Amino acid sequence: MSDDGERLVIVAKANGALLLRGPVRVVTEDGRVLYEGTARALCRCGASRERPFCDGSHHVIGFRTD
């Protein structure tokens, strides 16, 4: 929960990305901030050229979560 009480919501899209909504801050292990904002999609298929972020590659490779 952020300082203003807003919560982060994570939605696992069927056959797609993890959608992050709310206060989002993605930080590398060494502390470098990759993203700070209110919405972002994270890759689950491993094929994104923008990892850890989704670039839609799951459509191309036919990624399935079921």
Side-chain angles (χ1 to χ4, degrees):
M1 191 177 309
S2 69
D3 293 337
D4 63 2
E6 192 175 351
R7 292 179 182 257
L8 172 63
V9 175
I10 302 172
V11 177
K13 297 295 286 181
N15 307 320
L18 293 174
L19 301 180
L20 309 178
R21 296 184 186 125
V24 176
R25 187 173 193 204
V26 179
V27 181
T28 63
E29 187 175 357
D30 64 1
R32 186 170 50 97
V33 176
L34 296 178
Y35 175 79
E36 191 164 6
T38 59
R40 196 65 198 233
L42 296 179
C43 175
R44 280 201 297 173
C45 74
S48 175
R49 292 183 185 159
E50 299 178 20
R51 278 179 292 194
F53 306 111
C54 178
D55 69 357
S57 292
H58 56 275
H59 294 293
V60 176
I61 68 167
F63 178 70
R64 297 284 177 246
T65 57
D66 37 46

